[in-house]
Structure formats: C-alpha cells, structure tokens
Amino acid sequence: MSVFCALSNEQVEEIDNSKGCNFYNKGQVVFHEGNRTNGIYCINKGKVKLFQIGSEGKEQIIRFAKAGDVVGYRALLSEEPLSASATAIEDDTTICFIPRDQIFSMIAQNPNFNFKFLKMLSHELGEAAKIITDLAQKPVRERLAETLLILKDTFELDEEKNIQVKLSREELANIVGTATESVIRLLSEFKKDKLIAVEGRNIKLLNIPGLTRVANVFE
Amino acid sequence: MSVFCALSNEQVEEIDNSKGCNFYNKGQVVFHEGNRTNGIYCINKGKVKLFQIGSEGKEQIIRFAKAGDVVGYRALLSEEPLSASATAIEDDTTICFIPRDQIFSMIAQNPNFNFKFLKMLSHELGEAAKIITDLAQKPVRERLAETLLILKDTFELDEEKNIQVKLSREELANIVGTATESVIRLLSEFKKDKLIAVEGRNIKLLNIPGLTRVANVFE
DNA sequence: GATAAAATATGACATTAATCAGCTAATTTT
DNA sequence: AAAATTAGCTGATTAATGTCATATTTTATC
C-alpha cells in the first residue's frame, strides 16, 4: 500500500502540480549513491533496482521497487547522502520526483501520511534485519531459494507461475551475495529437482513449498 | 543524540511520570523476538545487544544499544511483532519503558520529536544496507576488522585504547557471521600484526589506520 | 581451595563456494 | 548477415572457512 493513499485529494493535486515525471529505459540511472537528494522518487510504471557498490566494485542489490513504490526517502529523511544507486530494470519506467518541501510539509500537516512513513521505514528495517541474519548464517543454496521466494512476493507470479521480473544470473548473484557461476549451477539443480523451470531469464516456480523447504524459512 | 532531546521540559516530565524503570543483570532478557510490544525501551545505564535467532538456532547480533539509546521502537512503529530479542550485556543495566500512547501522542504533538524518529529510522536503514553489502561481499577477516571499528565507534575507547565493551569470542562471531574458532584465529593474527592487543575480553585497538586498511573501508 | 563448567585455543580435516579457463548460445552492432 | 560483444554454461582447481576433536585456561560453584 502506497504512502500516498494517506493524502487528501487536494494534497494529491498539490503534488501533481509540483512533481516532474521522467522516463527511463532499462539500465538508465535514476540516482547515484553518494549524491544528495532533494526529494523522493515515486515509481509510476516499471521497476528499479537499488544497489550499493562494494569495496571491490561489485554491485550489491539492496532492494527492488515497482509501480506504487517510493525510493530515495531514506536519504531525504536522514539528511544523508544517498546510500544506494537506483537504475531502471525495465524499459519505459516512469518515475515522478516530489521535491523535499512538499514531502516535509505534508508530513507536518498530515499525521496519517507521517505514520505511513514511520511504518514504512520501520517495516523496511525489520526486513533488513532478516536479510542480515540470512546472509550471515545461511549457505548460498538456501539464500538463492529464499531470493526466488522474495522476488515472488515482490513482483508476484503470472498465470503460469513465472516470476514477473527478468533478472540476469549476475543480478541474482548480486542479491544472494555469491558468484554468478554459483547461481547458474544452483538454478540447474533446482530445475533438476523440479522446483523451478527456467527459460532464459524467465523463472517459473513449480514447487513453492519445496523451495520454502530449501530456503529453510519457517514463518 | 537521543530522540528525547527534542522534547520540552513538560513532556519529559510527563514521560517521567508514566515510565517504569527496571534493572537487568548481564544475560537477562529485556524483550523477546516474536512478542508484541506496547511501548519503547530507553537504556538509562548499561548496554544491551539486539539479536535474532537464525534457522539453525544460532544468534545473530543485529545491533547494540547503550545509555541514551532507545530499543523496541521498530516493532512499535511498524505495528509488527518484535523482530529481535534484547538482553543486557552488563550488570546493573537500567531500562525505562515508555508506553505506546505516550510515544504516539508526542509524535503527533511535537514535530521535532517526530522528525527525530524519522531521522533515526532512516539512518538505521542506511547502516543496515552497509552491513548487508559487507556481509554479502567481504571475507571474514575484513568483516572482523570492521566489527572492531564499529564497536569502537559505538562504545568508544578508554584512555588506554580499550574498546569499552566486553564481548565473548562467540558474540563477536555472532556479529561477524562466522564460527567462534575463526574469530579466535583472526584475533591472534591481528595481535601478531600489532593491530590489537588482547587480554581476555579486553581488546585494545593499537593501530586504527591499520585495522581500517584490513577492513577495506574507504569513507 | 577443589571440582565442575564454560570459554578460549589449536590442529586436522571436510566442505563450500570462489576463481579460472574455455566453450556455447544469444544479443547487439556494424 | 557477419562480426563482435555479452550472457550463460561446465569442469577443474584453489582458497576460504566451517566442523570436529582435543587440550588448556579461566571462571563459577560448592
């Protein structure tokens, strides 16, 4: 549920008047880690990945955002530089920029909007803690299975159980925190075990309970 | 800087009247992962560790809190169960509980207090993202060096450069995400390289630039 | 202060996963 | 359409780190 559903009609209109929309093709940069931001970005259409560059120059994907999601709010609210870069992972991704003052005045005026932000941030923080525990404790195989399940929850499956996002093997590796080759090998294992079907970048989840077992998730 | 410095004198007094303070000895549980919380916990004195239990029953330390810090706010604000457990890591740790209604009404009444929370949450989220990237990409040796530097920033050094917190090798391993034996071996390596001195649970940082180099941190 | 228990230390070994190399398939560019 | 680039795949090898066994030291308990 978007933070903006907390706004009144007038407030939505106010935002509509001040916001600027931009189009991005796959691979185009929305914002860059380390820069300052002066507002937040709302995904209207398409998908983006948020990632940091580690000390060896390797990309680490922190999270994804899709239509209805907001990115860049962390840096705005903490008044720190952007902690991650964002790039579109689909063509025709449409993103609106809402300037800082708009956001701050609405937080001040509208308690609901404010609580939505508090809730969103604290929820994200809980998700981050789970990821930390998994990265620290689970082997690669389990983390990959879990990543597939998280992608399912984030982007949903179509009628044929395909995860509704297309990622390269390398990008999957950059979520899981492993080498591209390991992802390739493990995906074929999952395929052999009839847990998934793979066609290029299309991944079909054939056996979700099975994947959940591999991921060793119990919630 | 504590969130409470945003409060007026009357508000501080109001909290003082409603809050309940408790004492905890080393090892005692402040709250338990999975439970609901109905307020937040302010550390008055002492130190606590926040941790999750991973799927194999292993503890993963997510963060620490010391006098002036607040814990339990994530679960309160997200209206989710507590994502971590908290236990005291020092004797005579004193913690006050501030009930939910107090907090929510102050957030609503006092924009400064509100922004402090937004800032604290979004800052934490940025720290979590860094930890994720490090866990995913850095080898154990670098992560241990970095952990020592983070402990230094959190708890500071005394006049003799000792980190002002006492942790077991196992606890260090549960921050780094490694085996206790690996921590033991790496600490002796660091000792041999004159980066640190170790006396029981006392760790002296002899060469911070050296440790920074090992941790491969560039900020 | 003796005994038990827990924490720390060390070595040998097993396992996981990264790296490297080479090869094939798929895209993109010209 | 050919050439070039990128992505995906596979096998062999190496390096990192976890596990297990055992010894030693420290701390807690009686």
Side-chain angles (χ1 to χ4, degrees), chain B residues 29-149:
Chain B
V29 175
V30 182
F31 53 72
H32 197 279
E33 183 178 355
N35 286 350
R36 296 272 166 184
T37 184
N38 234 346
I40 66 175
Y41 297 79
C42 306
I43 321 292
N44 251 323
K45 178 165 174 265
K47 302 177 173 80
V48 307
K49 63 176 175 187
L50 283 116
F51 61 93
Q52 294 188 332
I53 299 300
S55 46
E56 309 291 284
K58 199 182 165 190
E59 165 183 307
Q60 180 63 36
I61 296 179
I62 302 295
R63 71 175 181 107
F64 291 95
K66 57 179 193 298
D69 292 338
V70 186
V71 297
Y73 56 85
R74 199 214 61 79
L76 185 75
L77 295 171
S78 67
E79 301 183 279
E80 294 164 346
L82 288 153
S83 60
S85 301
T87 66
I89 57 169
E90 272 183 7
D91 284 336
D92 299 315
T93 292
T94 315
I95 301 178
C96 300
F97 180 81
I98 305 177
R100 173 203 180 84
D101 292 348
Q102 286 293 333
I103 297 297
F104 275 72
S105 87
M106 293 200 169
I107 286 176
Q109 281 167 38
N110 186 333
N112 268 338
F113 188 64
N114 179 28
F115 279 112
K116 272 269 151 56
F117 262 104
L118 286 169
K119 212 166 178 172
M120 182 169 69
L121 283 163
S122 49
H123 175 77
E124 287 286 318
L125 200 51
E127 295 298 308
K130 277 191 215 167
I131 292 172
I132 287 172
T133 300
D134 288 342
L135 279 171
Q137 300 193 356
K138 286 185 180 174
V140 174
R141 186 185 164 84
E142 302 187 14
R143 299 210 302 272
L144 178 60
E146 194 165 2
T147 294
L148 295 178
L149 294 167

Side-chain angles (χ1 to χ4, degrees), chain A residues 29 31-36 51-54 81-86, chain B residues 133:
Chain A
V29 175
F31 54 73
H32 196 279
E33 183 178 355
N35 286 350
R36 295 272 166 186
F51 60 94
Q52 295 189 331
I53 299 299
L82 288 153
S83 60
S85 301
Chain B
T133 300

Side-chain angles (χ1 to χ4, degrees), chain A residues 138-174:
Chain A
K138 286 185 180 175
V140 174
R141 185 185 165 85
E142 303 187 12
R143 298 210 303 271
L144 178 60
E146 194 164 3
T147 294
L148 295 177
L149 294 168
I150 291 174
L151 290 173
K152 180 208 73 175
D153 291 337
T154 308
F155 296 109
E156 320 212 306
L157 304 183
D158 66 11
E159 331 73 47
E160 291 177 307
K161 301 186 180 171
N162 299 300
I163 299 177
Q164 292 289 62
V165 67
K166 303 280 162 278
L167 299 171
S168 67
R169 305 292 189 262
E170 192 180 0
E171 283 172 317
L172 285 171
N174 294 345

Side-chain angles (χ1 to χ4, degrees), chain A residues 4 13 29 47 93 104 122 134 147 154 159 171 178 184-185 189 201 207 210 213:
Chain A
F4 296 105
E13 205 174 304
V29 175
K47 302 179 173 78
T93 291
F104 275 70
S122 48
D134 288 342
T147 294
T154 308
E159 331 73 47
E171 283 172 317
T178 188
I184 292 169
R185 280 183 247 265
E189 272 188 45
R201 294 190 180 180
N207 181 353
R213 240 171 289 125

Side-chain angles (χ1 to χ4, degrees), chain B residues 181-214:
Chain B
E181 293 93 327
S182 298
V183 166
I184 291 170
R185 280 183 247 264
L186 288 168
L187 283 181
S188 356
E189 272 187 45
F190 292 170
K191 199 171 143 185
K192 209 181 60 195
D193 299 344
K194 300 273 162 53
L195 296 169
I196 63 173
V198 184
E199 270 180 350
R201 294 189 179 178
N202 212 53
I203 298 177
K204 214 181 285 262
L205 302 193
L206 299 177
N207 180 353
I208 292 171
L211 274 173
T212 308
R213 238 172 289 125
V214 172

